[in-house]
Amino acid sequence: MQTFSIAIHGGAGTLIKGMMTPELEAKYKSDLKTALDAGYQFLKEGKSAVEAVAESVRLLEDSPLFNAGKGSVFTAEGTHEMDAAIMDGKTLNAGAVSLITGIKNPVSLSRDVMEKSEHVFLAGEGAMQFANELNYKLEEIDYFYDEFRYQQWQEIKDSDSFQLDHSAKKDSKFGTVGAVACDQHGNIAAATSTGGMTNKNWGRVGDSPMIGAGNYANNKTCAVSCTGSGEFFIRGVVAYDVSCLMEHKNLSLEEASNEVINKRILEINGDGGLIAVDAKGNIAMPFNTEGMYRACKSSTGKEEISIYK
Ligand code: ASP
């Protein structure tokens, strides 16, 4: 029988063991497990990889611990602007949204762009009009509020700096969420969702909603979801680069993912990580930071929920 598997992440960054209370660490692991198990259950029931990644990411968005959906970081204006993308490796169909506000589950809107529009990428007001036509209910700003994120913003709000999310060092904190899956038919998919960077300005968009940069899926090679300093991941076209190394250089999933995260992206000073699966159900989860919230589960019995190196 075809191996089916799923991997999820909740962001990479300076996650140093001992910096977090045991209670908070347990909470992170429990929210990761909830999202992992839900996606895995979908795969077990025979649902598609697209359905599984959408479900896992939806649950991660609902957790205030991660920088996506509820708990998204604050922009320079004190609002939340969210980005998300999804891609189906079987058809190469994709959907993405950026700079959206008030939408509880950005990943669902990206999936609607993929399935219900003729387009791939909708941004800002136009994306909001599309959501309105599909009768999306808008959440009040309070829904997205998280005290920790608010304090992060307060620390830098009167400066020109902007910062990534999650952890000790101010310049290396990422909290984006993502999922990749291989279903019982050997079809793969990837989804990614983020609030972006604290204090971001000028309609800044990172790699997460960009097909090929932060998110990509192709049955021929791999499904990838990234987290890290988005500007570098865009310049490195990271997710597609993993796919290219597999397709054109015949590297395995593990080799291609490592080459990109531990070599190519480091050469341009990019930090972060990614999760990836191939159509045989193999999983890779490399990162070049101290930690990455991550979890995976496969029908072979493999299961892991980890934070640190
Ligand atoms: N890659 C995301 C961005 O630059 C941040 C993250 O991974 O947390 O928007």
Side-chain angles (χ1 to χ4, degrees), residues 7-12 49-50 52-58 60-61 67-69 82-88 95-98 100 105-111 121 174-181 189-196 206-217 223-228 230 233 239 273-276:
I8 62 172
H9 72 76
V50 167
V53 295
E55 180 63 2
S56 288
V57 169
R58 186 183 71 78
L60 291 167
E61 287 175 339
N67 171 21
M82 299 169 288
D83 307 328
I86 190 163
M87 186 158 182
D88 179 350
V97 289
S98 76
I100 59 168
N105 292 111
V107 71
S108 308
L109 189 59
S110 71
R111 186 173 173 190
F121 202 160
F174 322 118
T176 290
V177 306
V180 292
T192 308
S193 179
T194 189
D207 60 315
S208 309
M210 291 187 196
I211 301 303
N215 197 80
Y216 186 71
V224 179
S225 169
C226 301
T227 170
F233 279 65
L274 61 80
I275 52 170

Side-chain angles (χ1 to χ4, degrees), residues 8-12 14-15 19-36 59-60 63-68 70-71 146 148-149 152 165-168 173-177 292-295 304-308:
I8 62 172
H9 72 76
T14 320
L15 306 165
M19 296 277 309
M20 231 192 283
T21 62
E23 292 75 29
L24 187 58
E25 196 174 312
K27 182 82 181 97
Y28 270 104
K29 287 192 171 167
S30 143
D31 284 10
L32 284 170
K33 185 168 167 40
T34 302
L36 182 75
L59 289 166
L60 291 167
S63 164
L65 295 178
F66 305 104
N67 171 21
K70 189 177 178 67
D146 178 75
F148 174 66
R149 297 278 143 60
Q152 281 182 325
D165 182 58
H166 260 287
S167 63
K173 305 180 177 184
F174 322 118
T176 290
V177 306
M292 177 166 85
Y293 298 107
R294 63 197 185 279
E304 176 187 336
I305 301 178
S306 322
I307 300 177
Y308 311 106

Side-chain angles (χ1 to χ4, degrees), residues 11-308:
T14 320
L15 306 165
I16 299 164
K17 207 170 167 70
M19 296 277 309
M20 231 192 283
T21 62
E23 292 75 29
L24 187 58
E25 196 174 312
K27 182 82 181 97
Y28 270 104
K29 287 192 171 167
S30 143
D31 284 10
L32 284 170
K33 185 168 167 40
T34 302
L36 182 75
D37 287 349
Y40 186 81
Q41 184 58 32
F42 270 31
L43 296 174
K44 203 170 159 191
E45 288 165 7
K47 292 191 174 138
S48 72
V50 167
E51 287 174 290
V53 295
E55 180 63 2
S56 288
V57 169
R58 186 183 71 78
L59 289 166
L60 291 167
E61 287 175 339
D62 289 349
S63 164
L65 295 178
F66 305 104
N67 171 21
K70 189 177 178 67
S72 283
V73 296
F74 285 82
T75 65
E77 275 92 49
T79 59
H80 308 279
E81 286 175 353
M82 299 169 288
D83 307 328
I86 190 163
M87 186 158 182
D88 179 350
K90 180 184 174 191
T91 57
L92 300 189
N93 281 338
V97 289
S98 76
L99 304 172
I100 59 168
T101 53
I103 303 284
K104 182 170 186 257
N105 292 111
V107 71
S108 308
L109 189 59
S110 71
R111 186 173 173 190
D112 279 334
V113 172
M114 174 168 83
E115 292 174 353
K116 298 181 182 159
S117 86
E118 296 298 310
H119 306 295
V120 170
F121 202 160
L122 302 180
E125 269 178 39
M128 295 305 296
Q129 272 169 27
F130 177 70
N132 187 34
E133 281 180 27
L134 294 180
N135 295 319
Y136 271 72
K137 175 177 152 274
L138 294 190
E139 298 294 336
E140 296 294 329
I141 189 159
D142 290 355
Y143 170 80
F144 299 93
Y145 183 87
D146 178 75
E147 178 63 24
F148 174 66
R149 297 278 143 60
Y150 184 73
Q151 291 307 334
Q152 281 182 325
W153 177 53
Q154 290 300 306
E155 283 170 24
I156 58 167
K157 93 187 213 320
D158 296 321
S159 73
D160 285 338
S161 62
F162 50 89
Q163 92 186 13
L164 290 154
D165 182 58
H166 260 287
S167 63
K169 256 196 270 160
K170 281 191 186 148
D171 54 357
S172 47
K173 305 180 177 184
F174 322 118
T176 290
V177 306
V180 292
C182 172
D183 65 27
Q184 293 194 28
H185 304 285
N187 293 317
I188 60 178
T192 308
S193 179
T194 189
M197 297 167 89
T198 297
N199 211 34
K200 66 184 180 178
N201 218 339
W202 307 309
R204 182 267 182 189
V205 179
D207 60 315
S208 309
M210 291 187 196
I211 301 303
N215 197 80
Y216 186 71
N218 185 338
N219 274 6
K220 276 205 284 189
T221 53
C222 55
V224 179
S225 169
C226 301
T227 170
S229 39
E231 280 66 12
F232 297 91
F233 279 65
I234 294 171
R235 289 163 52 203
V237 201
V238 165
Y240 186 61
D241 202 20
V242 176
S243 172
C244 284
L245 287 169
M246 293 179 72
E247 186 170 1
H248 304 299
K249 268 192 144 184
N250 267 324
L251 298 196
S252 68
L253 181 80
E254 186 79 31
E255 289 165 345
S257 308
N258 275 327
E259 165 79 15
V260 173
I261 290 300
N262 291 313
K263 188 154 178 277
R264 294 184 171 206
I265 196 75
L266 280 179
E267 282 166 3
I268 57 168
N269 297 320
D271 51 350
L274 61 80
I275 52 170
V277 295
D278 64 17
K280 293 200 183 89
N282 294 310
I283 300 166
M285 305 195 287
F287 52 96
N288 62 32
T289 47
E290 275 90 347
M292 177 166 85
Y293 298 107
R294 63 197 185 279
C296 66
K297 193 166 180 169
S298 155
S299 58
T300 58
K302 178 186 165 85
E303 185 167 354
E304 176 187 336
I305 301 178
S306 322
I307 300 177
Y308 311 106

